[in-house]
Amino acid sequence: MNSRLNYQIVEQNNKTYVECLSANALLATEQDAVDVIAICFENNTRLLLLHSKALSADFFQLRSGIAGQLIQKFVNYQVKIALVIEEKLAEGRFKEWVTESNRGHHFSVFHHVAEAESWLLQS
């Protein structure tokens, strides 16, 4: 399970989070989300910084339903997610979805790691 993910455990400001940088097999199913959640729980954290390079291209196509399924799984397990994506990925309906999602407290999208980390670590 863990060998397919390129991740690191980060400790910052007395908090720990999992940073998932990329994946050999891109995250595309609810089981993939459960695998990442397990990594978080194994490391006693409910904080996840997820890079777009770890996600399948279908994640960004809202019609596929993958984004909603994955994010819902994380929310159900109370894992707070900061997603870092390239600006070019935030277009059309996906951009609208991002704008709506960024109003919540459990999932937000950023273009820079520093902003994502700051949001993730705030109490």
Side-chain angles (χ1 to χ4, degrees):
M1 167 180 79
N2 298 356
S3 62
R4 61 173 243 172
L5 295 173
N6 177 17
Y7 70 94
Q8 62 186 6
I9 308 306
V10 180
E11 292 188 31
Q12 194 79 291
N13 302 334
N14 296 318
K15 292 188 179 180
T16 302
Y17 67 87
V18 172
E19 182 174 15
C20 187
L21 303 162
S22 62
N24 296 328
L26 299 175
L27 305 178
T29 67
E30 288 184 47
Q31 183 57 52
D32 295 337
V34 170
D35 292 346
V36 175
I37 291 164
I39 293 168
C40 291
F41 287 6
E42 288 168 5
N43 290 282
N44 298 314
T45 186
R46 291 183 183 260
L47 303 175
L48 174 64
L49 196 151
L50 184 61
H51 291 261
S52 61
K53 292 177 183 171
L55 298 167
S56 79
D58 288 341
F59 181 92
F60 303 98
Q61 303 301 318
L62 292 183
R63 289 183 189 180
S64 74
I66 292 173
Q69 291 171 2
L70 293 180
I71 299 308
Q72 188 61 51
K73 188 62 73 175
F74 289 119
V75 170
N76 288 349
Y77 282 90
Q78 299 177 357
V79 173
K80 184 176 178 181
I81 317 131
L83 174 61
V84 179
I85 67 170
E86 299 170 22
E87 287 188 49
K88 68 180 182 179
L89 292 175
E91 297 177 344
R93 289 193 58 221
F94 187 78
K95 184 176 183 175
E96 293 171 16
W97 182 76
V98 164
T99 300
E100 186 67 29
S101 296
N102 283 357
R103 295 180 186 162
H105 301 289
H106 299 288
F107 171 70
S108 202
V109 179
F110 302 89
H111 299 299
H112 303 284
V113 173
E115 294 171 350
E117 183 182 68
S118 177
W119 177 83
L120 193 62
L121 296 175
Q122 68 186 350
S123 297

